[in-house]
């Protein structure tokens, strides 16, 4: 005699039932639900659709179906104006879709109160995990909210000093040194640095590397030539206005491509030639920045690799908890454009 379901409690759906309905093997269902490769995108989507229709929930480590899993993750970005962030978002959304997850995207405008509210909202919606590209170095309130709700998270590009977590990014210090050393090789001595907000560990690390590298050859950068601004095109234009209010520098070393392009737009509008009157370099390596139209000298971050690594790391956390944390440092490179004074080959 078969057991009757307990009143008010859903009957668990097995992977075998999903496999039968989808016309595939149980092993294929397992690969898809655990985010493993070896399954075509079409088959993966077909299985996920069937699983959602049947109400299938993957089993946890104890073999019990995890009825709490929503198959939705959160992605928190500073904004979607800077093209760097939508590129990360698209990479994460694509990787998540292939593993059967949807992505709840939120922006903070780099406001800590908004970040805290976003964390509360994501906890209330019971997301399975969160990728944070908008953490504040001196604050961990939002991450504590997630941790208290037992929601795993991964830091992308920037992190908090006060709460550990898995991290994916580049070596911002090494990247900053590489960029400044190239600028110095041109013989510039009047140099300004322009970065994003200093509560971003990535921005601050780049600024420290810029200034320290210049100081090693006797060039001091400070005062109105050491600027922190908004992490977008407008921030670059605001910084440029400050730079040209006094004696202008020979070179502006920037912590992001969007800031660099904002400075170049200001220069173009005011008859300042780049690189003849002002050399400008950036950090991010966005495709349009490196196009023939702009050809910005910049540090290239492997955006797709970072997105894939962040999602893979989060998926590992969702499927298996651990008390140890991992940092994945992706390789950067220097793109030599024309805006530094070089003649690109």
């Amino acid at each position: 005699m078969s057991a009757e379901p307990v009143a008010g409690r859903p009957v668990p759906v097995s992977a075998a039932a999903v496999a039968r309905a989808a016309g595939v093997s149980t092993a294929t269902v397992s690969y898809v639900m655990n985010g493993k490769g070896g399954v075509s995108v079409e088959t993966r989507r077909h299985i996920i659709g069937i699983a959602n229709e049947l109400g299938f929930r993957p089993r946890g480590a104890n073999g019990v179906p995890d009825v709490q899993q929503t198959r939705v993750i959160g992605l928190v970005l500073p904004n979607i104006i800077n093209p760097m962030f939508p590129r990360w978002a698209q990479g994460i959304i694509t990787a998540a879709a292939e593993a059967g997850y949807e992505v709840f995207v939120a922006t903070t405008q780099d406001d800590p109160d908004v970040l805290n509210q976003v964390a509360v909202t994501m906890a209330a919606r019971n997301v399975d995990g969160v990728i944070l590209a908008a953490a504040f170095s001196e604050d961990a309130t939002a991450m504590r909210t997630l941790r208290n709700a037992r929601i795993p998270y991964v830091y992308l590009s920037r992190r908090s000093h006060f709460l550990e977590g898995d991290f994916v990014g580049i070596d911002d210090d090494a990247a900053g040194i590489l960029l400044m050393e190239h600028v110095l090789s041109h013989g510039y001595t009047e140099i300004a640095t322009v970065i994003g907000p200093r509560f971003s560990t990535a921005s601050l690390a780049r600024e420290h590397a810029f200034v320290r590298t210049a100081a090693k050859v006797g060039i001091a950068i400070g005062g109105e030539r050491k600027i922190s601004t908004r992490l977008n095109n407008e921030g670059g234009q605001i910084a440029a206005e400050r730079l040209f209010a006094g004696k202008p520098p020979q070179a502006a070393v920037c912590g992001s491509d969007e800031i660099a392009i904002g400075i170049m737009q200001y220069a173009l509008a005011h008859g300042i030639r780049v690189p003849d009157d002002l050399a400008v370099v950036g950090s991010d390596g966005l495709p349009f920045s490196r196009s023939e139209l702009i050809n910005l000298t910049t540090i290239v971050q492997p955006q797709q690799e970072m997105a894939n690594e962040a999602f893979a790391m989060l998926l590992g956390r969702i499927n298996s908890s651990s008390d140890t944390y991992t940092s994945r440092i992706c390789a950067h490179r220097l793109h030599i454009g024309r805006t530094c004074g070089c003649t690109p080959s």
Side-chain angles (χ1 to χ4, degrees):
M1 182 176 180
S2 61
E4 293 294 326
V6 178
R9 184 178 299 172
V11 178
V13 176
S14 68
V18 174
R20 285 194 297 272
V24 298
S25 69
T26 303
T28 302
V29 172
S30 177
Y31 288 156
V32 170
M33 293 306 167
N34 288 301
K36 296 180 179 178
V39 182
S40 71
V41 173
E42 293 76 13
T43 300
R44 191 180 297 274
R45 288 175 178 167
H46 173 61
I47 291 171
I48 290 166
I50 296 294
N52 288 339
E53 286 177 14
L54 296 178
F56 172 78
R57 290 293 178 268
R59 295 179 180 272
N62 59 1
V64 178
D66 184 0
V67 297
Q68 300 301 317
Q69 196 171 95
T70 60
R71 302 199 74 79
V72 176
I73 67 163
L75 171 60
V76 187
L77 303 170
N79 60 66
I80 52 173
I81 298 173
N82 186 324
M84 186 71 179
F85 304 136
R87 288 185 66 81
W88 276 338
Q90 188 57 60
I92 290 166
I93 289 168
T94 300
E98 290 179 356
Y101 286 80
E102 295 184 11
V103 182
F104 170 21
V105 181
T107 61
T108 66
Q109 308 309 316
D110 273 328
D111 184 326
D113 292 333
V114 174
L115 176 58
N116 295 340
Q117 184 56 53
V118 165
V120 170
T121 301
M122 289 190 172
R125 295 195 178 188
N126 197 28
V127 297
D128 295 334
V130 176
I131 297 173
L132 285 154
F136 294 84
S137 59
E138 304 299 323
D139 181 31
T141 306
M143 284 64 78
R144 288 194 182 93
T145 296
L146 297 175
R147 185 165 290 184
N148 290 340
R150 297 186 178 182
I151 296 173
Y153 58 84
V154 171
Y155 292 122
L156 176 59
S157 182
R158 55 162 92 165
R159 49 184 152 187
S160 167
H161 289 311
F162 294 108
L163 205 62
E164 286 187 291
D166 296 312
F167 172 78
V168 175
I170 65 168
D171 186 334
D172 292 295
D173 185 77
I177 292 171
L178 179 63
L179 188 62
M180 180 58 82
E181 285 180 341
H182 181 75
V183 170
L184 292 170
S185 73
H186 283 274
Y188 302 123
T189 56
E190 300 293 327
I191 300 173
T193 60
V194 187
I195 62 158
R198 291 189 178 99
F199 51 68
S200 160
T201 52
S203 293
L204 188 60
R206 292 171 197 179
E207 181 181 60
H208 284 170
F210 295 158
V211 173
R212 189 177 68 251
T213 305
K216 285 183 178 179
V217 296
I219 298 173
I221 300 173
E224 287 301 305
R225 288 192 176 172
K226 184 181 175 186
I227 297 175
S228 172
T229 187
R230 300 173 191 171
L231 201 55
N232 55 34
N233 183 294
E234 183 184 6
Q237 296 192 52
I238 292 169
E241 187 173 8
R242 287 176 58 186
L243 289 175
F244 285 93
K247 181 184 177 182
Q250 296 170 305
V253 181
C254 302
S256 90
D257 283 6
E258 275 291 281
I259 289 174
I261 291 171
I263 291 174
M264 292 169 64
Q265 284 186 303
Y266 179 94
L268 180 65
H270 291 80
I272 302 162
R273 299 169 300 166
V274 176
D276 304 85
D277 301 322
L278 176 71
V280 181
V281 298
S283 306
D284 284 340
L286 296 166
F288 78 89
S289 303
R290 293 179 280 130
S291 70
E292 287 300 315
L293 180 65
I294 299 173
N295 210 352
L296 178 70
T297 294
T298 181
I299 291 293
V300 181
Q301 299 192 60
Q303 297 134 25
Q304 185 64 51
E305 179 187 354
M306 293 169 73
N308 290 342
E309 288 289 341
F311 177 72
M313 197 173 282
L314 183 64
L315 188 61
R317 281 284 169 193
I318 292 169
N319 292 331
S320 178
S321 61
S322 172
D323 293 331
T324 59
Y325 298 101
T326 303
S327 288
R328 174 72 170 88
I329 304 301
C330 300
H332 61 271
R333 64 181 177 87
L334 179 64
H335 169 77
I336 304 296
R338 63 175 177 81
T339 61
C340 61
C342 286
T343 302
S345 57

